[in-house]
Amino acid sequence: MKNLIRFAFVALMLSSIVVSFSSCSSDDDTSVINAKSVDIVHGTYTGTMTAGDSIVDGVVVSVDSLTKSIDIEKFPVATIVKAVVAEDVQKEALKSLTDVTFKTTYTPSLSSNLVNMEIATTTVSFDIKVKEETHKIVATIEDKGKGVYNSTNMQLDMTFNVSGATLDETAVSDFKTIKYTFSKSTKK
């Protein structure tokens, strides 16, 4: 009987040692949260937008998963103005800027914890004032834009290009593509 109790005690001790030394290989890893629907991207994000060599913090992007639309209330256009307007009047043109709204649509697709977003071709138009005259700039956002929402860290990243522009309906012939990137976002 003593041997049976001793055996049970040793077996219990060995099993507790095994349990205490075992660990999960992903204890320190962030667990992946799968996106169950493309609608998870719906919300408002605040982040950093880079336009060429210009960096703007605090840019707010709203994504509506019902209408599949993206809105940026204060779209940074200074880099576009610098690419379109002659250097001698750039300061005046930049000073005349008001808030510009960017609106487009997207096509979503689901992949594990990611919602991929293909951003549609669109234009952004706004006015500038130079030497007491108002001029209209229309910039074209090409259809190769991409967005990715990561459901694990709840971040939205986007990249798209402004591939051309007109000034008062005349194409800017020497316009160089401007890459826009939205990153480091937090979801409200």
Side-chain angles (χ1 to χ4, degrees), residues 39-100:
D39 294 337
I40 195 169
V41 73
H42 188 90
T44 302
Y45 305 83
T46 303
T48 300
M49 184 159 280
T50 304
D53 59 356
S54 173
I55 298 172
V56 181
D57 290 321
V59 174
V60 177
V61 175
S62 298
V63 179
D64 187 329
S65 63
L66 299 175
T67 60
K68 308 292 186 254
S69 62
I70 299 169
D71 293 343
I72 304 173
E73 288 296 321
K74 295 180 180 178
F75 185 66
V77 294
T79 304
I80 298 170
V81 171
K82 290 175 185 176
V84 170
V85 177
E87 198 171 331
D88 61 324
V89 292
Q90 281 181 6
K91 277 188 179 180
E92 184 181 359
L94 290 168
K95 190 175 179 182
S96 73
L97 284 175
T98 58
D99 291 343
V100 176

Side-chain angles (χ1 to χ4, degrees), residues 77-160:
V77 294
T79 304
I80 298 170
V81 171
K82 290 175 185 176
V84 170
V85 177
E87 198 171 331
D88 61 324
V89 292
Q90 281 181 6
K91 277 188 179 180
E92 184 181 359
L94 290 168
K95 190 175 179 182
S96 73
L97 284 175
T98 58
D99 291 343
V100 176
T101 301
F102 169 85
K103 292 179 182 274
T104 191
T105 58
Y106 67 93
T107 304
S109 63
L110 196 58
S111 171
S112 180
N113 65 321
L114 305 176
V115 176
N116 297 302
M117 305 161 67
E118 290 185 34
I119 299 171
T121 300
T122 191
T123 58
V124 172
S125 62
F126 55 96
D127 293 333
I128 57 168
K129 203 168 200 171
V130 175
K131 298 179 182 175
E132 304 294 322
E133 291 183 21
T134 300
H135 302 277
K136 180 177 258 353
I137 295 176
V138 179
T140 302
I141 312 296
E142 65 184 29
D143 65 352
K144 295 176 184 159
K146 301 280 182 210
V148 175
Y149 173 77
N150 184 321
S151 62
T152 300
N153 60 18
M154 297 175 58
Q155 285 190 326
L156 175 66
D157 294 308
M158 293 187 308
T159 301
F160 52 88

Side-chain angles (χ1 to χ4, degrees), residues 16-28:
S16 64
I17 289 172
V18 167
V19 169
S20 67
F21 283 121
S22 67
S23 67
C24 182
S25 65
S26 64
D27 279 349
D28 296 331

